[in-house]
Amino acid sequence: MGRGAKAITSILLIEFLLLYNTVSQQGLEESAAARTLQQEPHHTNEVHCSRERSRAAWKIIEDYLMPFLEEEGFQISTKCRLHPDNDLFRDQEQHKIYLDVNEWRCGYCKKSFRAENFLDQHFDDRHYNLLNVNQSKCLADLCGALHCDFVMNSKSLKAKCNPAAVARNRHLCESLADSCFPITQGPSASRLHELFLHQFCDAHTCSRKKKPFPKGGKKQTSVLYMATSILILMLLPIFYLLYYLYQREMNRGTQVLRRVSQVGRKTKPS
């Protein structure tokens, strides 16, 4: 009976310790979760600006306008709505570090994420204070003028043309040309004003005959070109190695022939 009582006491003691350990861990997890919730900023003011469409608008500016500005050596004013400083998300976008297909890193706190949308959510939750929400700087508001739907392959392109919407987008586009590239500012501004009208504004029509960006844009390196370049770089050392071995064998053959001819001369009877 004494041994049985001790065994039962030991079992009860072990169960008590396991139960205590489980409760302690739950308490620690709950307190850690509470601390995390306290650390996460709670925003009463929402940003009424699409990050995705702002990103598309900036990509269009970067690809289809900036190359021509660089060619002209022209600096747009900060008063121009196309200026990088007038993009609400520009600083956060510049703090995105792309490492691999499934790895993005926050440039502020160095945390890693599996996809860009998770990093976007992280910016909204943890680095909201870095947005200048006091000023109206939503680049997505210019999407109508810059043809974001065309670039994003939006379903709205297949919808029936709305003449009123087209007229609004064309008016916004022309106002951007006037404010960013005043023709009174000089020859470069005048040329860029004309280019902007052709590149962006002329396509705002219901005829659908004119496409955006007829002047082209930043040259994109094709996958085929990259693959061919890599293949050439891999094959070049092999080619030179084979050429070296061929030349060495040729030289050896020449030396053997010379030796044979010299031996033949020495053995030739006088």
Side-chain angles (χ1 to χ4, degrees):
M1 291 292 293
R3 291 181 179 177
K6 288 182 179 178
I8 293 171
T9 304
S10 299
I11 293 171
L12 290 173
L13 181 61
I14 291 170
E15 289 180 351
F16 174 78
L17 291 173
L18 289 172
L19 180 62
Y20 177 78
N21 186 42
T22 303
V23 171
S24 299
Q25 287 182 350
Q26 288 178 350
L28 288 171
E29 289 175 357
E30 289 175 359
S31 61
R35 285 195 302 271
T36 303
L37 288 173
Q38 290 175 359
Q39 290 172 359
E40 289 288 340
H42 298 280
H43 309 305
T44 56
N45 297 323
E46 294 183 1
V47 177
H48 299 286
C49 182
S50 169
R51 183 188 291 272
E52 183 181 8
R53 290 180 70 79
S54 293
R55 186 185 301 134
W58 176 251
K59 181 66 175 172
I60 290 169
I61 294 169
E62 191 175 40
D63 288 350
Y64 298 106
L65 180 61
M66 287 301 178
F68 300 101
L69 282 134
E70 293 172 0
E71 186 178 333
E72 290 283 351
F74 187 87
Q75 296 291 331
I76 56 177
S77 169
T78 54
K79 295 179 181 179
C80 171
R81 295 178 68 182
L82 303 173
H83 193 279
D85 290 350
N86 294 322
D87 179 10
L88 179 67
F89 302 106
R90 181 77 344 238
D91 186 70
Q92 288 189 350
E93 291 293 313
Q94 289 176 338
H95 279 81
K96 285 182 177 180
I97 303 172
Y98 175 76
L99 298 174
D100 203 348
V101 177
N102 295 319
E103 188 173 5
W104 291 77
R105 182 173 294 168
C106 172
Y108 297 116
C109 61
K110 308 305 179 185
K111 286 186 178 180
S112 296
F113 301 88
R114 289 180 300 170
E116 187 178 13
N117 61 317
F118 293 134
L119 180 55
D120 289 341
Q121 187 62 47
H122 169 74
F123 282 150
D124 292 338
D125 293 338
R126 301 304 301 271
H127 304 298
Y128 175 86
N129 59 311
L130 298 175
L131 294 177
N132 186 5
V133 295
N134 296 323
Q135 298 183 17
S136 179
K137 294 183 176 182
C138 184
L139 202 60
D141 293 342
L142 306 181
C143 268
L146 299 176
H147 306 281
C148 292
D149 290 330
F150 178 82
V151 173
M152 299 171 72
N153 295 319
S154 174
K155 293 180 180 179
S156 62
L157 290 174
K158 299 178 182 179
K160 187 177 179 180
C161 182
N162 184 343
V166 169
R168 285 196 302 270
N169 290 334
R170 188 179 184 90
H171 176 72
L172 175 60
C173 186
E174 291 173 349
S175 67
L176 287 173
D178 294 338
S179 61
C180 296
F181 312 106
I183 57 177
T184 57
Q185 196 170 335
S188 293
S190 182
R191 286 192 294 269
L192 289 170
H193 183 276
E194 190 69 18
L195 179 137
F196 192 89
L197 292 176
H198 290 309
Q199 187 83 322
F200 298 98
C201 304
D202 286 352
H204 288 298
T205 174
C206 283
S207 67
R208 299 185 185 275
K209 292 181 179 179
K210 293 185 177 180
K211 299 295 183 183
F213 327 126
K215 299 290 185 180
K218 184 186 293 184
K219 294 181 180 179
Q220 302 291 338
T221 305
S222 66
V223 177
L224 179 61
Y225 175 80
M226 289 291 294
T228 305
S229 301
I230 292 171
L231 183 63
I232 291 173
L233 290 174
M234 291 174 64
L235 292 177
L236 269 177
I238 298 174
F239 170 77
Y240 282 116
L241 177 61
L242 292 174
Y243 181 76
Y244 167 75
L245 293 174
Y246 172 77
Q247 288 292 332
R248 190 174 67 175
E249 290 299 321
M250 288 293 292
N251 291 334
R252 284 182 178 178
T254 304
Q255 291 176 359
V256 169
L257 289 174
R258 287 177 180 175
R259 289 175 183 175
V260 170
S261 62
Q262 289 176 358
V263 170
R265 290 175 183 175
K266 289 180 180 179
T267 56
K268 187 177 180 180
S270 55

